[in-house]
CSV table of all heavy atoms in Angstrom, one decimal:
chain,number,residue,atom,x,y,z
A,1214,ILE,N,2.4,-19.9,47.2
A,1214,ILE,CA,1.7,-20.0,45.9
A,1214,ILE,C,1.4,-18.7,45.3
A,1214,ILE,O,1.6,-18.3,44.1
A,1214,ILE,CB,0.5,-21.0,46.1
A,1214,ILE,CG1,0.9,-22.2,46.4
A,1214,ILE,CG2,-0.3,-21.0,44.7
A,1214,ILE,CD1,-0.2,-23.2,46.9
A,1215,GLY,N,0.8,-17.9,46.2
A,1215,GLY,CA,0.2,-16.5,45.7
A,1215,GLY,C,1.4,-15.6,45.4
A,1215,GLY,O,1.5,-14.9,44.5
A,1216,PHE,N,2.4,-15.8,46.3
A,1216,PHE,CA,3.6,-15.0,46.2
A,1216,PHE,C,4.3,-15.2,44.8
A,1216,PHE,O,4.7,-14.2,44.1
A,1216,PHE,CB,4.6,-15.3,47.3
A,1216,PHE,CG,6.0,-14.8,47.2
A,1216,PHE,CD1,6.4,-13.5,47.2
A,1216,PHE,CD2,7.0,-15.6,46.9
A,1216,PHE,CE1,7.5,-13.0,47.0
A,1216,PHE,CE2,8.2,-15.2,46.7
A,1216,PHE,CZ,8.5,-13.9,46.7
A,1217,LEU,N,4.5,-16.5,44.6
A,1217,LEU,CA,5.2,-16.8,43.2
A,1217,LEU,C,4.3,-16.3,42.1
A,1217,LEU,O,4.9,-15.8,41.0
A,1217,LEU,CB,5.6,-18.3,43.4
A,1217,LEU,CG,6.7,-18.7,44.2
A,1217,LEU,CD1,6.8,-20.3,44.1
A,1217,LEU,CD2,8.0,-18.1,43.8
A,1218,LEU,N,3.1,-16.6,42.1
A,1218,LEU,CA,2.3,-16.2,40.9
A,1218,LEU,C,2.2,-14.7,40.7
A,1218,LEU,O,2.5,-14.3,39.6
A,1218,LEU,CB,0.8,-16.7,41.0
A,1218,LEU,CG,0.6,-18.2,41.0
A,1218,LEU,CD1,-0.8,-18.6,41.3
A,1218,LEU,CD2,1.0,-18.7,39.5
A,1219,ALA,N,2.0,-14.0,41.8
A,1219,ALA,CA,2.1,-12.5,41.7
A,1219,ALA,C,3.4,-11.9,41.3
A,1219,ALA,O,3.7,-11.0,40.5
A,1219,ALA,CB,1.6,-11.9,43.0
A,1220,LEU,N,4.5,-12.5,41.8
A,1220,LEU,CA,6.0,-12.1,41.4
A,1220,LEU,C,6.1,-12.4,40.0
A,1220,LEU,O,6.7,-11.5,39.3
A,1220,LEU,CB,6.9,-12.9,42.4
A,1220,LEU,CG,8.4,-12.3,42.4
A,1220,LEU,CD1,8.3,-10.9,43.1
A,1220,LEU,CD2,9.3,-13.3,43.1
A,1221,ILE,N,5.9,-13.5,39.5
A,1221,ILE,CA,6.1,-13.8,38.0
A,1221,ILE,C,5.2,-13.0,37.2
A,1221,ILE,O,5.6,-12.4,36.2
A,1221,ILE,CB,5.9,-15.3,37.8
A,1221,ILE,CG1,7.0,-16.1,38.5
A,1221,ILE,CG2,6.0,-15.6,36.3
A,1221,ILE,CD1,6.8,-17.6,38.6
A,1222,GLY,N,4.0,-12.9,37.6
A,1222,GLY,CA,3.0,-11.9,36.8
A,1222,GLY,C,3.6,-10.6,36.8
A,1222,GLY,O,3.4,-9.9,35.6
A,1223,GLY,N,4.0,-10.0,37.9
A,1223,GLY,CA,4.4,-8.7,37.9
A,1223,GLY,C,5.7,-8.5,37.0
A,1223,GLY,O,5.8,-7.5,36.3
A,1224,ALA,N,6.6,-9.4,36.9
A,1224,ALA,CA,7.8,-9.4,36.2
A,1224,ALA,C,7.4,-9.5,34.7
A,1224,ALA,O,8.1,-8.9,33.9
A,1224,ALA,CB,8.8,-10.5,36.6
A,1225,LEU,N,6.4,-10.3,34.3
A,1225,LEU,CA,6.0,-10.5,33.0
A,1225,LEU,C,5.3,-9.2,32.6
A,1225,LEU,O,5.4,-8.7,31.4
A,1225,LEU,CB,5.1,-11.7,32.7
A,1225,LEU,CG,5.6,-13.0,32.8
A,1225,LEU,CD1,4.6,-14.0,32.9
A,1225,LEU,CD2,6.6,-13.2,31.7
A,1226,GLY,N,4.7,-8.6,33.5
A,1226,GLY,CA,3.9,-7.2,33.1
A,1226,GLY,C,5.0,-6.1,32.8
A,1226,GLY,O,4.8,-5.3,32.0
A,1227,ILE,N,6.0,-6.1,33.6
A,1227,ILE,CA,7.1,-5.2,33.3
A,1227,ILE,C,7.9,-5.4,32.0
A,1227,ILE,O,8.1,-4.4,31.3
A,1227,ILE,CB,8.1,-5.2,34.5
A,1227,ILE,CG1,7.5,-4.6,35.7
A,1227,ILE,CG2,9.5,-4.3,34.1
A,1227,ILE,CD1,8.2,-4.7,37.1
A,1228,SER,N,8.2,-6.6,31.7
A,1228,SER,CA,8.9,-6.9,30.5
A,1228,SER,C,8.1,-7.0,29.2
A,1228,SER,O,8.8,-7.1,28.2
A,1228,SER,CB,9.5,-8.2,30.8
A,1228,SER,OG,8.7,-9.4,30.8
A,1229,TRP,N,6.8,-7.0,29.3
A,1229,TRP,CA,6.0,-7.1,28.1
A,1229,TRP,C,6.1,-5.9,27.3
A,1229,TRP,O,6.1,-4.8,27.8
A,1229,TRP,CB,4.5,-7.4,28.4
A,1229,TRP,CG,3.7,-7.6,27.3
A,1229,TRP,CD1,3.6,-8.8,26.5
A,1229,TRP,CD2,2.9,-6.6,26.7
A,1229,TRP,NE1,2.6,-8.7,25.6
A,1229,TRP,CE2,2.2,-7.2,25.5
A,1229,TRP,CE3,2.7,-5.3,26.7
A,1229,TRP,CZ2,1.3,-6.7,24.7
A,1229,TRP,CZ3,1.8,-4.6,25.9
A,1229,TRP,CH2,1.1,-5.2,24.9
A,1230,SER,N,6.3,-6.1,25.9
A,1230,SER,CA,6.2,-4.9,25.1
A,1230,SER,C,5.3,-5.2,23.8
A,1230,SER,O,5.2,-6.4,23.4
A,1230,SER,CB,7.5,-4.5,24.5
A,1230,SER,OG,8.1,-5.4,23.7
A,1231,ALA,N,4.7,-4.1,23.4
A,1231,ALA,CA,3.6,-4.5,22.2
A,1231,ALA,C,4.4,-4.8,20.9
A,1231,ALA,O,5.6,-4.4,20.8
A,1231,ALA,CB,2.8,-3.2,21.9
A,1232,ALA,N,4.0,-5.8,20.3
A,1232,ALA,CA,4.5,-6.2,19.0
A,1232,ALA,C,4.4,-5.1,17.9
A,1232,ALA,O,3.5,-4.4,17.9
A,1232,ALA,CB,3.8,-7.4,18.5
A,1233,LYS,N,5.5,-4.8,17.3
A,1233,LYS,CA,5.5,-3.8,16.2
A,1233,LYS,C,4.7,-4.4,15.1
A,1233,LYS,O,4.8,-5.6,14.6
A,1233,LYS,CB,6.9,-3.5,15.8
A,1233,LYS,CG,7.6,-2.8,17.0
A,1233,LYS,CD,9.0,-2.5,16.6
A,1233,LYS,CE,9.7,-1.8,17.8
A,1233,LYS,NZ,11.0,-1.9,17.9
A,1234,PRO,N,3.9,-3.7,14.3
A,1234,PRO,CA,3.2,-4.1,13.2
A,1234,PRO,C,4.1,-4.6,12.0
A,1234,PRO,O,5.1,-3.9,11.8
A,1234,PRO,CB,2.4,-3.0,12.8
A,1234,PRO,CG,2.9,-1.8,13.4
A,1234,PRO,CD,3.6,-2.3,14.6
A,1235,GLN,N,3.8,-5.7,11.5
A,1235,GLN,CA,4.7,-6.1,10.4
A,1235,GLN,C,4.4,-5.3,9.2
A,1235,GLN,O,3.2,-5.1,8.7
A,1235,GLN,CB,4.5,-7.6,10.1
A,1235,GLN,CG,4.9,-8.4,11.2
A,1235,GLN,CD,4.6,-9.9,10.9
A,1235,GLN,OE1,4.0,-10.3,10.0
A,1235,GLN,NE2,5.2,-10.8,11.7
A,1236,GLU,N,5.4,-5.0,8.3
A,1236,GLU,CA,5.2,-4.3,7.1
A,1236,GLU,C,4.9,-5.4,6.0
A,1236,GLU,O,5.3,-6.5,6.1
A,1236,GLU,CB,6.5,-3.5,6.7
A,1236,GLU,CG,6.9,-2.6,7.6
A,1236,GLU,CD,8.1,-1.9,7.2
A,1236,GLU,OE1,8.7,-2.1,6.0
A,1236,GLU,OE2,8.7,-1.2,8.1
A,1237,LYS,N,4.1,-5.0,5.1
A,1237,LYS,CA,3.7,-5.8,4.1
A,1237,LYS,C,4.8,-6.2,3.3
A,1237,LYS,O,5.5,-5.3,2.8
A,1237,LYS,CB,2.6,-5.2,3.2
A,1237,LYS,CG,1.3,-5.1,3.9
A,1237,LYS,CD,0.1,-4.7,3.0
A,1237,LYS,CE,-1.2,-4.8,3.7
A,1237,LYS,NZ,-2.3,-4.5,2.8
A,1238,ALA,N,5.1,-7.5,3.2
A,1238,ALA,CA,6.2,-7.8,2.2
A,1238,ALA,C,5.8,-7.7,0.7
A,1238,ALA,O,4.8,-7.9,0.3
A,1238,ALA,CB,6.5,-9.3,2.5
A,1239,THR,N,6.8,-7.0,0.1
A,1239,THR,CA,6.6,-6.8,-1.4
A,1239,THR,C,7.1,-8.1,-2.1
A,1239,THR,O,7.8,-8.9,-1.5
A,1239,THR,CB,7.4,-5.6,-1.9
A,1239,THR,OG1,8.8,-5.9,-1.6
A,1239,THR,CG2,7.0,-4.3,-1.1
A,1240,ALA,N,6.7,-8.1,-3.4
A,1240,ALA,CA,7.1,-9.3,-4.3
A,1240,ALA,C,8.7,-9.4,-4.3
A,1240,ALA,O,9.3,-10.4,-4.4
A,1240,ALA,CB,6.5,-9.2,-5.6
A,1241,ALA,N,9.4,-8.1,-4.3
A,1241,ALA,CA,10.8,-8.2,-4.4
A,1241,ALA,C,11.5,-8.6,-3.2
A,1241,ALA,O,12.5,-9.3,-3.1
A,1241,ALA,CB,11.2,-6.7,-4.7
A,1242,ASP,N,10.9,-8.4,-2.0
A,1242,ASP,CA,11.4,-9.0,-0.8
A,1242,ASP,C,11.3,-10.5,-0.8
A,1242,ASP,O,12.2,-11.1,-0.2
A,1242,ASP,CB,10.7,-8.4,0.5
A,1242,ASP,CG,10.9,-6.9,0.7
A,1242,ASP,OD1,11.9,-6.6,0.1
A,1242,ASP,OD2,10.0,-6.3,1.3
A,1243,ALA,N,10.3,-11.0,-1.3
A,1243,ALA,CA,10.0,-12.4,-1.3
A,1243,ALA,C,10.9,-13.2,-2.5
A,1243,ALA,O,10.8,-14.3,-2.5
A,1243,ALA,CB,8.5,-12.8,-1.4
A,1244,GLY,N,11.4,-12.4,-3.3
A,1244,GLY,CA,12.2,-13.0,-4.3
A,1244,GLY,C,11.4,-13.3,-5.5
A,1244,GLY,O,11.8,-14.1,-6.5
A,1245,VAL,N,10.1,-12.9,-5.6
A,1245,VAL,CA,9.2,-13.2,-6.6
A,1245,VAL,C,9.0,-12.0,-7.5
A,1245,VAL,O,8.7,-10.9,-7.0
A,1245,VAL,CB,7.8,-13.6,-6.2
A,1245,VAL,CG1,6.9,-14.0,-7.3
A,1245,VAL,CG2,8.0,-14.9,-5.3
A,1246,ALA,N,9.2,-12.0,-8.9
A,1246,ALA,CA,9.1,-10.8,-9.7
A,1246,ALA,C,7.5,-10.7,-9.8
A,1246,ALA,O,6.7,-11.5,-10.3
A,1246,ALA,CB,9.7,-11.1,-11.1
A,1247,GLY,N,7.1,-9.5,-9.6
A,1247,GLY,CA,5.7,-9.0,-9.8
A,1247,GLY,C,5.5,-8.4,-11.1
A,1247,GLY,O,6.5,-8.3,-11.9
A,1248,PRO,N,4.3,-7.9,-11.4
A,1248,PRO,CA,4.1,-7.2,-12.7
A,1248,PRO,C,4.9,-6.0,-12.9
A,1248,PRO,O,5.1,-5.7,-14.0
A,1248,PRO,CB,2.5,-7.1,-12.7
A,1248,PRO,CG,2.1,-7.2,-11.3
A,1248,PRO,CD,3.1,-7.9,-10.5
A,1249,ASP,N,5.1,-5.2,-11.8
A,1249,ASP,CA,5.9,-3.9,-12.0
A,1249,ASP,C,7.4,-4.1,-11.9
A,1249,ASP,O,8.0,-3.3,-12.0
A,1249,ASP,CB,5.4,-3.0,-10.9
A,1249,ASP,CG,3.9,-2.6,-11.0
A,1249,ASP,OD1,3.4,-2.8,-12.1
A,1249,ASP,OD2,3.3,-2.4,-10.0
A,1250,ASP,N,7.8,-5.3,-11.5
A,1250,ASP,CA,9.3,-5.6,-11.3
A,1250,ASP,C,9.8,-6.2,-12.6
A,1250,ASP,O,9.7,-7.3,-13.0
A,1250,ASP,CB,9.5,-6.6,-10.2
A,1250,ASP,CG,8.9,-6.0,-8.8
A,1250,ASP,OD1,8.9,-4.8,-8.6
A,1250,ASP,OD2,8.6,-6.9,-8.0
A,1251,ALA,N,10.3,-5.4,-13.4
A,1251,ALA,CA,11.0,-5.9,-14.7
A,1251,ALA,C,12.5,-6.2,-14.4
A,1251,ALA,O,13.1,-5.4,-13.6
A,1251,ALA,CB,10.9,-4.7,-15.8
A,1252,ALA,N,12.8,-7.2,-14.9
A,1252,ALA,CA,14.3,-7.6,-14.8
A,1252,ALA,C,15.1,-6.6,-15.5
A,1252,ALA,O,14.8,-6.2,-16.6
A,1252,ALA,CB,14.4,-9.0,-15.3
A,1253,PRO,N,16.3,-6.3,-14.9
A,1253,PRO,CA,17.2,-5.3,-15.6
A,1253,PRO,C,17.8,-5.9,-16.9
A,1253,PRO,O,18.1,-7.1,-16.9
A,1253,PRO,CB,18.3,-5.0,-14.6
A,1253,PRO,CG,18.1,-6.2,-13.6
A,1253,PRO,CD,16.8,-6.7,-13.6
A,1254,VAL,N,17.9,-5.1,-17.9
A,1254,VAL,CA,18.4,-5.5,-19.2
A,1254,VAL,C,19.9,-5.3,-19.2
A,1254,VAL,O,20.2,-4.2,-18.9
A,1254,VAL,CB,17.7,-4.7,-20.3
A,1254,VAL,CG1,18.3,-5.1,-21.6
A,1254,VAL,CG2,16.2,-5.0,-20.2
A,1255,PRO,N,20.7,-6.2,-19.5
A,1255,PRO,CA,22.2,-6.0,-19.5
A,1255,PRO,C,22.5,-5.1,-20.7
A,1255,PRO,O,21.7,-5.0,-21.7
A,1255,PRO,CB,22.7,-7.4,-19.7
A,1255,PRO,CG,21.6,-8.2,-20.4
A,1255,PRO,CD,20.3,-7.6,-19.9
A,1256,PRO,N,23.6,-4.3,-20.5
A,1256,PRO,CA,23.9,-3.3,-21.5
A,1256,PRO,C,24.4,-4.0,-22.7
A,1256,PRO,O,25.0,-5.1,-22.7
A,1256,PRO,CB,24.9,-2.4,-20.8
A,1256,PRO,CG,25.5,-3.3,-19.7
A,1256,PRO,CD,24.3,-4.1,-19.3
A,1257,ILE,N,24.2,-3.5,-23.9
A,1257,ILE,CA,24.6,-4.0,-25.2
A,1257,ILE,C,26.0,-3.2,-25.5
A,1257,ILE,O,26.0,-2.0,-25.5
A,1257,ILE,CB,23.6,-3.8,-26.3
A,1257,ILE,CG1,22.3,-4.5,-25.8
A,1257,ILE,CG2,24.1,-4.3,-27.6
A,1257,ILE,CD1,21.1,-4.2,-26.7
A,1258,ALA,N,26.9,-4.1,-25.9
A,1258,ALA,CA,28.3,-3.4,-26.2
A,1258,ALA,C,28.1,-2.6,-27.4
A,1258,ALA,O,27.5,-3.0,-28.5
A,1258,ALA,CB,29.3,-4.6,-26.5
A,1259,GLY,N,28.7,-1.4,-27.3
A,1259,GLY,CA,28.6,-0.5,-28.6
A,1259,GLY,C,27.4,0.3,-28.7
A,1259,GLY,O,27.2,1.1,-29.5
A,1260,ALA,N,26.4,0.1,-27.8
A,1260,ALA,CA,25.2,0.9,-27.9
A,1260,ALA,C,25.3,2.3,-27.3
A,1260,ALA,O,26.1,2.4,-26.4
A,1260,ALA,CB,24.0,0.1,-27.2
A,1261,THR,N,24.5,3.2,-27.8
A,1261,THR,CA,24.6,4.5,-27.3
A,1261,THR,C,23.3,4.5,-26.4
A,1261,THR,O,22.2,4.6,-26.9
A,1261,THR,CB,24.7,5.5,-28.2
A,1261,THR,OG1,25.8,5.2,-29.1
A,1261,THR,CG2,24.8,7.0,-27.7
A,1262,TYR,N,23.5,5.2,-25.2
A,1262,TYR,CA,22.2,5.3,-24.3
A,1262,TYR,C,22.0,6.8,-24.1
A,1262,TYR,O,22.8,7.6,-23.9
A,1262,TYR,CB,22.6,4.7,-22.9
A,1262,TYR,CG,22.8,3.2,-22.9
A,1262,TYR,CD1,24.1,2.6,-23.1
A,1262,TYR,CD2,21.6,2.3,-23.1
A,1262,TYR,CE1,24.3,1.2,-23.2
A,1262,TYR,CE2,21.8,0.9,-23.3
A,1262,TYR,CZ,23.1,0.4,-23.2
A,1262,TYR,OH,23.3,-0.8,-23.3
Side-chain angles (χ1 to χ4, degrees):
I1214 298 167
F1216 164 73
L1217 287 176
L1218 288 172
L1220 193 68
I1221 293 169
L1225 286 174
I1227 292 171
S1228 66
W1229 183 84
S1230 65
K1233 294 180 179 154
Q1235 294 179 349
E1236 297 178 13
K1237 289 189 176 183
T1239 61
D1242 293 340
V1245 178
D1249 296 333
D1250 299 333
V1254 178
I1257 300 172
T1261 305
Y1262 297 99

